[in-house]
């Protein structure tokens, strides 16, 4: 006898088959344009990335067994982009700071960056996804969207939005009609679908960290925990229809959930503390700097091996 799928899970199962369309943000070129001759098409398959000073660098794919790949140890694939906050060449003083220094003879002023550090984060991540975790109302969607837009080559995905689109139901409706367990199962299937893509900033549901199987997906990328006090969250979402807060004491429930999930959230690669006076732009700024520092502290193994070989006077063959 053929097993019968619950309506919600069946809808999400369909999502897996059409997951590729989730990332289709740009329209296809007109069919009347047949494209350039083959030789030029081959040249167009080169991918642009960002150099140390924000300039464009072309990466040429290599052929291997019928597939194209980019050598991660090549100088072209690693154009030498470093932490912009630690690069004096990318720092400049604001006009006000320069004027104050000229008038008062003081030592320096506040420094700013000549290029958006988020733009330089993209090549350093090398296609690795960024996952946002945290409590409901912590700003995962707003901050994730702002970060992806500034990075330029990354797309933003919201697992809750994808789930609502796949089922034709809002999150509260799913909780009410299917129950929390069915929602968590569907949420896991959505995460399983989107994690196969690269160069994405992904906002997850507040309870996605509760399942171990979800962590096997999250840990394929870098996980950012937005840590916000329950009181701050409550002011943001008060009066909304959040399913888990439909209690006599919403703030008490929020505090309890935060404490129960604390250990899970703290498994994230980086934690960004968010205060009441920070908007999405300020939080995104903090995330960018924290991620740059994390990459500095956790270089890829091949890069460490390359540095050691060069320090020992050995030739590193790309």
């Amino acid at each position: 006898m053929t097993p019968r799928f619950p309506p919600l899970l069946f809808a999400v199962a369909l999502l897996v088959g059409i997951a590729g369309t989730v990332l289709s943000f740009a329209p296809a070129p007109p069919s009347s344009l047949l494209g350039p001759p083959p030789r030029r098409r081959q040249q167009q398959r080169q991918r642009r990335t960002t150099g140390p000073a924000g300039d464009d660098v072309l990466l040429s794919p290599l052929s291997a067994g019928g597939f194209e790949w980019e050598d991660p140890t090549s100088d072209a694939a690693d154009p030498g982009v470093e932490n912009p906050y630690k690069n004096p060449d990318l720092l400049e003083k604001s006009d006000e700071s320069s004027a104050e220094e000229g008038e008062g003879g003081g030592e320096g002023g506040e420094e700013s960056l000549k290029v958006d550090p988020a733009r330089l984060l993209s090549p350093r991540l090398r296609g690795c996804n960024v996952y946002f975790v945290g409590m409901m109302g912590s700003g995962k969607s707003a901050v994730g969207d702002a970060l992806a837009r500034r990075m330029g080559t990354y797309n933003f995905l919201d697992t809750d939005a994808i789930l609502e689109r796949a089922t034709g139901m809002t999150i509260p409706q799913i909780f009410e009609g299917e129950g929390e367990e069915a929602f968590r199962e569907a949420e896991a299937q959505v995460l399983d679908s989107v994690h196969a893509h690269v160069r994405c900033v992904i906002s997850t549901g507040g309870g996605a960290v509760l399942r171990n199987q979800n962590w096997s997906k999250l840990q394929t990328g870098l996980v950012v925990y937005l840590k916000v006090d329950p009181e701050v969250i409550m002011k943001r979402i008060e009066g909304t229809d959040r399913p888990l807060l439909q209690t006599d004491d919403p703030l008490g429930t929020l505090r309890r959930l935060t404490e129960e999930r604390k250990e899970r959230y703290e498994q994230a690669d980086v934690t960004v503390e968010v205060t009441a006076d920070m908007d999405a732009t300020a939080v995104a700024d903090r995330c960018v700097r924290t991620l740059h520092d994390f990459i500095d502290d956790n270089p890829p193994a091949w890069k460490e091996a390359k540095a050691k070989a060069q320090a020992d006077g050995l030739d590193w063959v790309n």
Side-chain angles (χ1 to χ4, degrees):
M1 183 176 179
T2 304
R4 184 177 179 182
F5 291 91
L8 177 61
L9 298 187
F10 179 73
V12 177
L14 292 178
L15 173 68
V16 178
I18 60 171
T21 63
V22 175
L23 298 181
S24 301
F25 296 104
S31 57
S32 59
L33 299 180
L34 300 180
R39 184 175 182 182
R40 189 176 168 192
R41 245 184 236 148
Q42 177 68 29
Q43 294 173 346
Q44 286 187 340
R45 281 202 289 264
Q46 294 177 318
R47 184 172 63 80
R48 290 185 180 275
T49 187
T50 307
D55 53 326
D56 284 342
V57 177
L58 282 176
L59 299 185
S60 299
L62 304 175
S63 296
F67 296 92
E68 292 183 347
W69 62 289
E70 294 163 6
D71 183 359
T73 66
S74 70
D75 292 335
D78 179 36
V81 179
E82 301 297 340
N83 191 335
Y85 296 99
K86 299 177 181 179
N87 187 344
D89 294 334
L90 295 179
L91 293 175
E92 64 180 3
K93 293 176 183 175
S94 63
D95 294 338
E96 293 181 3
S97 299
S98 300
E100 290 175 2
E101 182 180 354
E103 293 174 4
E107 293 184 4
E110 185 176 352
E111 293 178 322
S112 60
L113 288 167
K114 297 178 182 178
V115 296
D116 186 348
R119 181 78 169 83
L120 299 181
L121 181 61
S122 179
R124 298 196 76 199
L125 286 172
R126 307 168 67 77
C128 178
N129 289 337
V130 177
Y131 294 91
F132 279 94
V133 301
M135 285 297 296
M136 64 186 88
S138 59
K140 301 184 295 292
S141 296
V143 174
D145 185 42
L147 177 61
R149 290 176 184 275
R150 289 173 56 184
M151 290 174 69
T153 59
Y154 270 56
N155 293 311
F156 173 67
L157 297 176
D158 185 325
T159 58
D160 280 353
I162 295 173
L163 182 53
E164 288 183 335
R165 181 178 178 182
T167 61
M169 304 164 65
T170 65
I171 300 301
Q173 287 173 338
I174 295 174
F175 266 82
E176 182 180 355
E178 305 287 343
E180 182 176 358
E181 184 60 27
F183 170 78
R184 297 298 175 203
E185 182 64 31
E187 181 180 56
Q189 290 195 34
V190 171
L191 189 59
D192 186 56
S193 175
V194 301
H195 102 281
H197 298 281
V198 296
R199 296 188 180 91
C200 292
V201 176
I202 301 170
S203 168
T204 65
V209 297
L210 298 175
R211 290 195 169 203
N212 290 334
Q213 71 182 87
N214 290 343
W215 276 102
S216 67
K217 313 300 186 304
L218 296 173
Q219 290 174 339
T220 62
L222 291 183
V223 184
V224 180
Y225 167 35
L226 297 185
K227 184 178 182 180
V228 191
D229 289 338
E231 292 75 14
V232 175
I233 293 178
M234 201 67 232
K235 289 181 180 179
R236 294 180 177 180
I237 65 175
E238 196 169 8
T240 62
D241 56 352
R242 305 278 176 158
L244 296 180
L245 298 185
Q246 303 308 304
T247 64
D248 294 334
D249 182 13
L251 179 57
T253 302
L254 190 59
R255 287 171 175 161
R256 175 179 58 80
L257 290 173
T258 301
E259 186 60 31
E260 289 176 354
R261 299 173 181 179
K262 178 182 178 182
E263 185 176 351
R264 293 282 185 160
Y265 287 141
E266 290 178 349
Q267 293 180 30
D269 296 298
V270 298
T271 297
V272 175
E273 296 194 9
V274 182
T275 57
D277 60 335
M278 296 173 69
D279 59 12
T281 300
V283 179
D285 286 340
R286 184 73 57 82
C287 291
V288 170
R289 182 155 200 164
T290 304
L291 285 169
H292 272 298
D293 290 341
F294 178 83
I295 294 171
D296 281 351
D297 296 337
N298 299 272
W302 70 263
K303 203 166 189 177
E304 291 185 317
K306 180 177 181 178
K308 184 178 185 303
Q310 291 175 336
D312 294 340
L314 302 175
D315 290 333
W316 180 273
V317 180
N318 285 330

